[in-house]
Amino acid sequence: MQSVPVYFQSVLHIPSVDYDFYTVPQKNACLALKDQRSFWPRGKGLGGSSNLNAMFWQRSNQHDYDKWAELSGTDDWKFDNILRNFKNIEDYHGRYYNEKWHSKGKGGIYVSTVSDNKLRKEFFEAGKEMGYPTEDVNGHQNPSFSGLDTSIKDGRRFGTYPGFLEPILSRTNLNIYRYAHVTKVHLHKVTKRAYGVTYKRHGVVHFVRAKREIVISAGSLNTPQLLMLSGIGPKAHLESLRINCLIDLPVGKNLQDHIGAFVGPFIVDIPGTTNVISRDFTTNTLTDYFSQHKGFMSMPPGANAVAYIHSSLSKQRGNITNKSPDIQLLLIPSTSITLTEIFEKFTNIKNGLIKKYASGLRGNDSFLINVMLGKYYSRGEVRLASADPLDKPILDPKYFSHPDDVKIFVDGME
């Protein structure tokens, strides 16, 4: 596993660690991307996508969980009840520790706050001018501005494998089969209860029967794929692929993704205000990292602060105190797009576009704001490409198919 935070993009597109998914061509978005297809990395191996994500540690808003509780008819999903689970999975060592919201010293994902302060004070002051406080967005997550929490320990990526699996490897009731690909969950014909799984390992097909239960944790894309391959999903779709539909459910529907875009770069006149890779990456950078696990290489890709705010559309619809913010902003006090070939490769941007866009920026202090939709009205879907479990699923987020998404996104950029 590649554990140096600043080089997270180096493991993308590598078949042994990344499923390397792409969406279908998008009609209303991704115009700068090759074939208008968005690249969706998904992690393989022990630890899954935590081995290659950007290490940002962000909870959702309490109102989202309370809404889930209302929809499901059970108080188990209420934020006040689920908070203990948030605390149980983290070992918090960030700047916002408060025992009401966080826990530390009990294991789980190690969480720290990015130490880089470049432009963070100015970012917070801008938030105050807009009427937003500076506070812990991973606490109550009121609309606010905050330093960025990340899953990084001693300058190294800290994912779910070291957080949860590695500490219990010696358990006698735990068996781990690497290089195993589950192809089907078997259901009882009458009761429809899952009783076993088929998996393929080193070219050999195996079946294992469950004594108690089966837990599927294949993520938001591979989980619906596996369910549909097993006969759980939309009947018409499954039967079109000659898969016997055992349970007719809208599996794969309601796909949502927090689409984002970089705004900027904005050039800063004062040298040293931001991180300029061509200027600031020196032998001292390597020394700081490998001797003390600090400095530029110990930080996630660029960002050091975050904000959650309400769009004008959200405010117009009223009662913002009882609903979650719909825009997320990330402060990136550097311009990694000057590394044109690397940036184009891991984002699937058309060749030469970034070089043209970033012309004249090299060596200049500048920053970006990554604007993301926190509340997404468009709804996409995951479908099967075939009945072959090894074929990649068809992913269609249907970006900007709902007009409100465009309005909110433009509002966030402004």
Side-chain angles (χ1 to χ4, degrees):
M1 183 182 71
Q2 198 290 105
S3 60
V4 181
V6 77
Y7 289 131
F8 91 104
Q9 72 279 356
S10 66
V11 296
L12 303 179
H13 302 291
I14 298 177
S16 60
V17 296
D18 182 7
Y19 280 103
D20 203 32
F21 287 159
Y22 288 84
T23 68
V24 300
Q26 295 298 289
K27 179 181 179 181
N28 304 310
C30 305
L31 303 184
L33 306 186
K34 296 175 184 177
D35 300 320
Q36 293 181 219
R37 300 170 68 202
S38 180
F39 167 52
W40 285 10
R42 303 300 298 171
K44 292 182 181 179
L46 302 178
S49 293
S50 71
N51 293 335
L52 47 75
N53 64 11
M55 295 154 283
F56 301 155
W57 186 260
Q58 301 288 281
R59 296 177 184 173
S60 187
N61 185 273
Q62 66 159 354
H63 299 302
D64 295 329
Y65 295 99
D66 290 345
K67 185 176 181 179
W68 287 2
E70 181 181 343
L71 291 172
S72 64
T74 172
D75 288 346
D76 292 345
W77 280 109
K78 282 191 174 181
F79 180 78
D80 289 342
N81 293 325
I82 209 167
L83 176 61
R84 65 178 181 272
N85 296 310
F86 278 133
K87 295 171 69 173
N88 286 339
I89 66 173
E90 72 176 13
D91 184 12
Y92 191 85
H93 294 263
R95 66 185 297 181
Y96 299 106
Y97 179 76
N98 180 317
E99 64 180 10
K100 179 179 180 180
W101 305 114
H102 300 289
S103 176
K104 65 179 177 180
K106 298 179 181 178
I109 301 294
Y110 190 100
V111 180
S112 59
T113 306
V114 177
S115 59
D116 182 32
N117 288 316
K118 288 184 171 62
L119 289 183
R120 192 151 60 186
K121 179 181 178 181
E122 290 81 359
F123 186 65
F124 292 163
E125 289 177 350
K128 290 179 181 178
E129 289 182 9
M130 297 168 63
Y132 292 101
T134 301
E135 59 183 48
D136 178 15
V137 296
N138 279 328
H140 207 259
Q141 208 199 74
N142 294 313
S144 59
F145 283 56
S146 175
L148 184 66
D149 285 341
T150 60
S151 53
I152 295 176
K153 180 180 181 180
D154 297 330
R156 300 172 70 88
R157 172 190 295 275
F158 198 93
T160 56
Y161 175 73
F164 301 108
L165 195 55
E166 192 174 32
I168 62 170
L169 288 177
S170 60
R171 287 188 181 180
T172 57
N173 63 345
L174 173 66
N175 293 293
I176 298 173
Y177 289 89
R178 296 190 299 167
Y179 315 112
H181 190 111
V182 176
T183 58
K184 185 176 182 178
V185 178
H186 295 271
L187 304 180
H188 191 280
K189 292 182 180 179
V190 178
T191 65
K192 301 296 188 290
R193 182 178 176 84
Y195 65 86
V197 299
T198 294
Y199 67 93
K200 192 173 185 178
R201 185 169 187 250
H202 302 316
V204 180
V205 176
H206 302 267
F207 170 80
V208 60
R209 184 177 295 274
K211 291 183 178 179
R212 295 183 60 184
E213 61 183 356
I214 297 170
V215 177
I216 301 175
S217 57
S220 58
L221 306 179
N222 293 102
T223 293
Q225 180 191 24
L226 178 58
L227 290 173
M228 287 188 283
L229 288 167
S230 306
I232 306 172
K235 184 176 182 179
H237 175 51
L238 299 188
E239 290 184 345
S240 71
L241 299 172
R242 297 184 178 180
I243 297 174
N244 183 28
C245 183
L246 300 176
I247 304 177
D248 184 11
L249 289 173
V251 173
K253 304 296 183 181
N254 202 39
L255 177 64
Q256 303 171 52
D257 181 38
H258 57 296
I259 189 171
F262 294 110
V263 179
F266 304 97
I267 295 178
V268 182
D269 294 332
I270 304 174
T273 306
T274 67
N275 297 307
V276 179
I277 296 176
S278 59
R279 177 195 66 201
D280 300 333
F281 197 96
T282 66
T283 54
N284 288 334
T285 307
L286 296 172
T287 301
D288 285 344
Y289 182 75
F290 288 107
S291 65
Q292 303 179 54
H293 299 121
K294 68 176 187 178
F296 181 71
M297 292 176 65
S298 68
M299 297 184 293
N304 68 349
V306 63
Y308 290 92
I309 63 175
H310 283 284
S311 68
S312 57
L313 188 63
S314 178
K315 294 176 182 177
Q316 289 170 12
R317 291 173 174 172
N319 202 22
I320 61 174
T321 58
N322 290 322
K323 62 183 177 182
S324 52
D326 53 355
I327 295 175
Q328 180 185 11
L329 306 175
L330 277 173
L331 171 64
I332 305 175
S334 63
T335 308
S336 58
I337 62 172
T338 55
L339 302 175
T340 55
E341 292 183 3
I342 296 175
F343 196 83
E344 286 177 350
K345 180 180 179 181
F346 85 80
T347 55
N348 196 43
I349 291 177
K350 296 175 182 176
N351 295 336
L353 193 149
I354 291 296
K355 184 177 182 180
K356 181 179 180 181
Y357 181 77
S359 176
L361 287 174
R362 191 174 298 275
N364 291 321
D365 282 84
S366 59
F367 69 95
L368 297 162
I369 298 293
N370 190 5
V371 179
M372 287 181 282
L373 282 181
K375 286 289 166 289
Y376 185 59
Y377 290 96
S378 301
R379 295 292 186 267
E381 62 179 347
V382 178
R383 290 179 286 122
L384 295 177
S386 73
D388 186 346
L390 300 183
D391 279 350
K392 294 181 180 181
I394 297 173
L395 311 174
D396 187 4
K398 294 180 170 45
Y399 288 138
F400 293 138
S401 58
H402 194 292
D404 284 355
D405 288 339
V406 180
K407 295 175 184 177
I408 295 170
F409 203 58
V410 171
D411 192 52
M413 289 176 146
E414 291 177 345

